[in-house]
Amino acid sequence: MTGSEAVDLGFARVDIGREARQGLPEVIYGTGKTAAEIAAIARTLLRHNTGPVLATRVDGDTAAAVLAEVAAAAVPGSTYDASARLLLWRPAAPIGFAVVVAAAGTADQPVAREAAAIAAAVGLTVTTVTDVGVAGLHRLLAEQDRLRAADTVIVVAGMEGALASAIGGLVACPVVAVPTSTGYGAGLEGITALLAMHASCAAGITVVNIDSGFGAAMAAFRLSRVVNRSTT
Amino acid sequence: MTGSEAVDLGFARVDIGREARQGLPEVIYGTGKTAAEIAAIARTLLRHNTGPVLATRVDGDTAAAVLAEVAAAAVPGSTYDASARLLLWRPAAPIGFAVVVAAAGTADQPVAREAAAIAAAVGLTVTTVTDVGVAGLHRLLAEQDRLRAADTVIVVAGMEGALASAIGGLVACPVVAVPTSTGYGAGLEGITALLAMHASCAAGITVVNIDSGFGAAMAAFRLSRVVNRSTT
Amino acid sequence: MTGSEAVDLGFARVDIGREARQGLPEVIYGTGKTAAEIAAIARTLLRHNTGPVLATRVDGDTAAAVLAEVAAAAVPGSTYDASARLLLWRPAAPIGFAVVVAAAGTADQPVAREAAAIAAAVGLTVTTVTDVGVAGLHRLLAEQDRLRAADTVIVVAGMEGALASAIGGLVACPVVAVPTSTGYGAGLEGITALLAMHASCAAGITVVNIDSGFGAAMAAFRLSRVVNRSTT
Amino acid sequence: MTGSEAVDLGFARVDIGREARQGLPEVIYGTGKTAAEIAAIARTLLRHNTGPVLATRVDGDTAAAVLAEVAAAAVPGSTYDASARLLLWRPAAPIGFAVVVAAAGTADQPVAREAAAIAAAVGLTVTTVTDVGVAGLHRLLAEQDRLRAADTVIVVAGMEGALASAIGGLVACPVVAVPTSTGYGAGLEGITALLAMHASCAAGITVVNIDSGFGAAMAAFRLSRVVNRSTT
Amino acid sequence: MTGSEAVDLGFARVDIGREARQGLPEVIYGTGKTAAEIAAIARTLLRHNTGPVLATRVDGDTAAAVLAEVAAAAVPGSTYDASARLLLWRPAAPIGFAVVVAAAGTADQPVAREAAAIAAAVGLTVTTVTDVGVAGLHRLLAEQDRLRAADTVIVVAGMEGALASAIGGLVACPVVAVPTSTGYGAGLEGITALLAMHASCAAGITVVNIDSGFGAAMAAFRLSRVVNRSTT
Amino acid sequence: MTGSEAVDLGFARVDIGREARQGLPEVIYGTGKTAAEIAAIARTLLRHNTGPVLATRVDGDTAAAVLAEVAAAAVPGSTYDASARLLLWRPAAPIGFAVVVAAAGTADQPVAREAAAIAAAVGLTVTTVTDVGVAGLHRLLAEQDRLRAADTVIVVAGMEGALASAIGGLVACPVVAVPTSTGYGAGLEGITALLAMHASCAAGITVVNIDSGFGAAMAAFRLSRVVNRSTT
Amino acid sequence: MTGSEAVDLGFARVDIGREARQGLPEVIYGTGKTAAEIAAIARTLLRHNTGPVLATRVDGDTAAAVLAEVAAAAVPGSTYDASARLLLWRPAAPIGFAVVVAAAGTADQPVAREAAAIAAAVGLTVTTVTDVGVAGLHRLLAEQDRLRAADTVIVVAGMEGALASAIGGLVACPVVAVPTSTGYGAGLEGITALLAMHASCAAGITVVNIDSGFGAAMAAFRLSRVVNRSTT
Amino acid sequence: MTGSEAVDLGFARVDIGREARQGLPEVIYGTGKTAAEIAAIARTLLRHNTGPVLATRVDGDTAAAVLAEVAAAAVPGSTYDASARLLLWRPAAPIGFAVVVAAAGTADQPVAREAAAIAAAVGLTVTTVTDVGVAGLHRLLAEQDRLRAADTVIVVAGMEGALASAIGGLVACPVVAVPTSTGYGAGLEGITALLAMHASCAAGITVVNIDSGFGAAMAAFRLSRVVNRSTT
């Protein structure tokens, strides 16, 4: 573990050893970075690593500028997913780990899409289930088989976040809950859902930060690696 | 509306006109009152009103002392319900309004008992359903018929309070949710459940204060009076 | 209870069985939805259900676009209420259940209008009383008769939310309190009013989410159904 | 303004110039002090000042010990008011300033008694009105004349604290609101009442700390001095 | 106390009896009202009352529109104070009650100006002292004489709000503290200053809502009336 | 999914189908239950299931009483772990899934012991690492090899909870963070650690409730099942 | 200590004695001040003091206007640092006190730049270290020598703020932690980092306000003066 | 930096290299540790280090037991300071660094004593100033010379914590503020003082955790080492 694994770009020090250490390079967090900065980091990672390179929370205009600049460096296979706000180069090959992303309502979809797109980019096989909030249990129960077939379920829910508890009781696999900032008033911008998911009566569900589809996808990626290690 | 409707006991001014105005006399809140004070208020209400008289949150020793003192005044039909911590004189005759009290877990039972005992005392017909938390949906679904037969459902739930949303989606009748202070950590002594119930995705459920089985029973009582008014 | 009761529109799964289960179809929450999405859901509900269809929190431009599109499907009787931000098709016939919407101040009127418009749309008979905050008790007391004639009072109040307690003590019928985010500073965007309404000294009042005129109207609708059930 | 106005007792430096500067010596806050410490400070103030000396929040046993010790110093006219938890020496002569202490409920009485006892000790003329919470407006309105005759009204209320708004609208004189920590759940140990009183719709009411009957009495004392200054 | 004291304008019910009851008509809160609404209320108050009429938190454009409309009704003596955002008609004659408005820093001036302008409008004599925060005690101490000559001091301070405690210890007259939302981070938009002012070690200071120069001026007005009553 | 999977004990309805659905029966939460209640539930689970039965948060006296009663039913292999406050019957055979429990400080050990004991009881292989807080990085780095050999790391940390971020950056496997209520003041009884763990700069770590060693162990159990499923 | 040390500009009273008292004149806080106001204060300080004059949080347009105006007064050596948003006149000569500003991530750089620029302006020797968050310990450890050579380390970190604890354990010199408002959700705009830094397990680190690079630089300046005093 | 610097006691791993790294061994935090545990850690530190050994927050009974046990190991010079709850072995020789501990009120003294005792134990020269709260500025100003002579001032204050701002403006040296949990209601157990100290208008003061006299003393110790380094 030495400092030489980092490339200093002046405005940032890029950790090029993380791919070797953790199976995936640093993911670029787009918020607050210019297109030039994102492009510079992406190029560095593409040069010094061999796996997928991702930039999250990138709006359309910035994405176009980044792609123009990085394409100039002739990197093939790059895409921009507007609904997930994800820039992606060199997606990973599927490794056969099944993730179901279950979103409580339509307002939770942007976060669900971020989770799904990132999980797919790092090689997981993703199915999405929407509009299964607990106020309409029959819609949730209709999806039981799909949920039970998953290796991991990512639950995306705002408001009271009750979906995490309900799914936690239905499946035996790991459940990663993502509280969202949807709703208003007593929802407290997602704080209520976050607290409620922690206070859940379902045993063994875990929680990531508000609106962090990214965090949930990364948690699923960590899980997939343990399975892979065991089977090889 | 005049001040003469109140009887001044020095330490309290007893509102003896509320029975006429609202169909039920002031309910005595036992916390922080001595047995002598509770007894004095109860005697005043028994004398100036004709319906049920209740004292809530009364522990066993205080209850015994109160009963001894008020019994001295030869008031028949008084009882103490230890599990509900409720002292009761002259319970109301049943009026044919069906309330189901649904408690998420065993830890929620003290609050559920308070709600059930007070609702019964004021003339409602109460059924209790327990251990129907959303982490075990099959137990909840098994009670669907009973829930749908209710005129009002009181949902008692702590932790993440998700049961209110689930039942709100199953029944068409009024749902009164009572958050409880059970659980630990992120449950924040019931604040999380209270906020979550307000942020619920189920439309038209209403909420009362934390641990207030009393509040929920009183809300149900108000409902029962509208029905009675309509039918007579 | 089967999954076949839902129509999958891709971006949403519309619950077309709710009208049968709960007496009213899913209400469309307009925030964050495009005119095309609202129109698609509305058309689906209009086709598979027979009662009123509502979309809340819809601004004027979106409403015009939705109406243009749904009118293309030749659905009669649609209206847009700008002050309530409500889109409505096929309003219900009055069922003779009297709701009084009492607003503490002029700043609370947008929420009061949402409550009143939705309640009327689902068949309730609505009267509105404004500017009856507790700092001017004579204005409140002048409305006592109107309040006492109600089957349910919806209290809309921001700042300290004291009106709920005052009305709770004046009437015997159900009281549904709606905290609003009016005011500034210590009002904490409605959190203070919400907490204060829960801590109210008036027994049996219930509370819905901040600014949720919709929630209060839905709670009143649930009440009206119990009365109807009893009388028929 | 020099340091010589303080007497150093080792564990405390007693400000003996405050009586001259502000019309009243430092009031001893009993919480966390031993009987010996309270006695030492009281003796110092009695020796170097000429007006009333007060110690608040003193329990019965400590009070007895203090009185025994200070009586040894032959100070006449000392009393202990158990309900107000106030130790008092040399009460001030009445100055003809009328304060009404209005308490919302019986649970608010300990705080109301502290306010009343301290106000009386410093020379104000105090009337107490109890059980006038807004859930029973007729009881409040019955006291209108007494409230309007006051030079200042101290409103003591917990739970939702609505009484401050109601009285603020009834009287023209200064209103000092004291939130109390009574109630449970959403009352948040008095925080809700404090915030609600600040968000009040009644103009010009002011607020002191939770449970601070002392603070309200001192505020009234400050008011009385302005009046005195104007009239002499 | 009858309802006839109110004039119903449709969008608002104007309380025209308050001048008689409390010495000052309802003050119009400008936020969220149109120029037409403000003008209508102002005209009503000007017609049915004889004293000053005020509208607070009115921006320049709205003020011009209101003045144009109300001037059409030929009301003399109207002014707009842009720094205080105050519209005023018929200011009261000075009654000889001295208020000092002390502002901790330059950022607190908008709130200080609102307090000063309203206090002057209702007849108080106002002096303003600025930049006397406790981090520069010498500037505060240099103003001691001016502060001690006041009948009431209004302290306007954001950040940690310490100025209220310091002035509370310097003067014997009433101190009304106004926390402001200046500062950033741990200042929590004024919540920290509000709480700190309540927890103050200076006895008998009182507090109004965050940024409420209006509330402080009204509190001072209530004080001035007691003095007037005593001297006449 | 039918209700017949539950056994009704009056005070609780025991879910005997969970072992089949989720691989482990309901774990008995000891807080607030009597020894008789715990014993009754344990006996029911032992009779209707075949795997491990656990009761958490059981103090020594209660444990002795439970063991005495359940032993009467001749159930072999029961133990009580006082440091983990865990009652256990029929522990599972090891399944070869390696969990490292890393505790930041000595004060975090009770929670770490709960996590370790429960994880071991359900068949996981547990190693514990203590005193590896980030204020002494060399102690943490000395354990790198052990941490990297894990299939899952459970991080137990109070105060600022920084250990989760540090370990999240060192290992590639799943990291489950448990905030603890150790520390004082700004630690806010574990809320600060919970929030900090969610805001962590390390990607893909997940969080459970404050002090919930149980929740972390259950999360690890869910993970172990995915691995098992994949390998068989 | 007299009031004559202040120059009254009408809108502000400039403290021109602070340089003598504390070694540095008042720093001008740019937020909410016009270019004319900043220029007037700067000119006053430049005229009555001899050391550096600083204005913080000044945007580019305002800075240009201020410089134009103050340059008119022929003051040499003025600069504007856009990345730090700092206007500076007459920077101090270096005094040989070494400060390392360590920033956890790229998003923390604006705050780090403010700290570094102000520290340099008052005569400290500043080195900046970036991207050393605890999720990549090797990058932090690679900087150990530089950190250990410092007289003071300023740690700038948002999200969970863990870097303060880690550096606190690595160095023996004073550590001043600056929480930043970077991140989202559970980071609570910097509140989480602030609380976490206070709850840190590293002994003797101190904390300043959220995003206050200014506060940290001033704290370092105070430290440098003690060293200077000791050595001369 | 290797793991061999730690001694594993089973229940704790003692960091015996910290004295070399940071000039002082790990300080033992007594809360929650048995006398035997404290004694074992103390003996380990005494054996492997040469400087002072401290255990904080130790009550009298535990201290006696620890001293008895460690004395058995024949360690000279050990003392217990009951008012500071500090156990101490081998105090450091004075290094000529002057710390003034300024406490706002008598209730803040336990925290002030902890700060003073620990600072003295590690070789600093400590003076204590008490009862200098800002509500009595003359007492504070009388101590100006003593405060200005300090190398560092530790300000201990609860309630509104205003003393930190006032002293920050009086002295040029470093100021370390310790909020305390004294007071009630709006003081929020020290949270208000902590926030207020951060929002302080005095530049460059820093803050440690609530009630952490220990943290402030350690911060002062870090400062003293920089001075020492510079002078040698």
Side-chain angles (χ1 to χ4, degrees), chain F residues 133-137 140-141 159-160 162 165-166 168-170 184 186-188 192 195-202, chain G residues 133-137 140-141 159-160 162 165-166 168-170 184 186-188 192 195-202:
Chain F
V134 298
L137 286 180
L140 173 59
L141 295 174
M159 298 174 165
E160 88 283 48
S165 297
L170 288 177
Y184 56 93
L188 299 181
T192 296
L195 292 170
M197 284 164 167
H198 275 299
S200 171
C201 51
Chain G
V134 298
L137 286 180
L140 174 60
L141 295 174
M159 298 175 167
E160 88 281 49
S165 298
L170 288 176
Y184 55 94
L188 300 181
T192 295
L195 292 171
M197 284 165 167
H198 276 298
S200 170
C201 51

Side-chain angles (χ1 to χ4, degrees), chain E residues 100-107 109 127-144 146-147 163 167, chain G residues 2-18 21 26-28 33 37 40-42 44-45 48:
Chain E
V100 172
V101 176
T106 52
Q109 295 230 23
T127 314
T128 299
V129 172
T130 59
D131 258 349
V132 288
V134 298
L137 285 180
H138 61 288
R139 285 186 288 189
L140 174 60
L141 295 174
E143 301 287 353
Q144 280 188 78
R146 247 203 289 184
L147 292 165
L163 185 59
I167 289 181
Chain G
T2 72
S4 64
E5 286 166 321
V7 172
D8 201 329
L9 299 178
F11 64 92
R13 228 172 336 168
V14 184
D15 181 352
I16 58 172
R18 194 177 297 178
R21 286 198 320 278
E26 207 174 343
V27 171
I28 307 164
K33 292 202 180 68
E37 289 173 339
I41 300 174
T44 305
L45 291 171
H48 292 87

Side-chain angles (χ1 to χ4, degrees), chain A residues 88-119:
Chain A
L88 170 65
W89 294 267
R90 295 195 309 226
I95 59 171
F97 187 88
V99 171
V100 172
V101 176
T106 52
D108 301 316
Q109 294 229 23
V111 177
R113 283 178 194 137
E114 183 183 85
I118 296 175

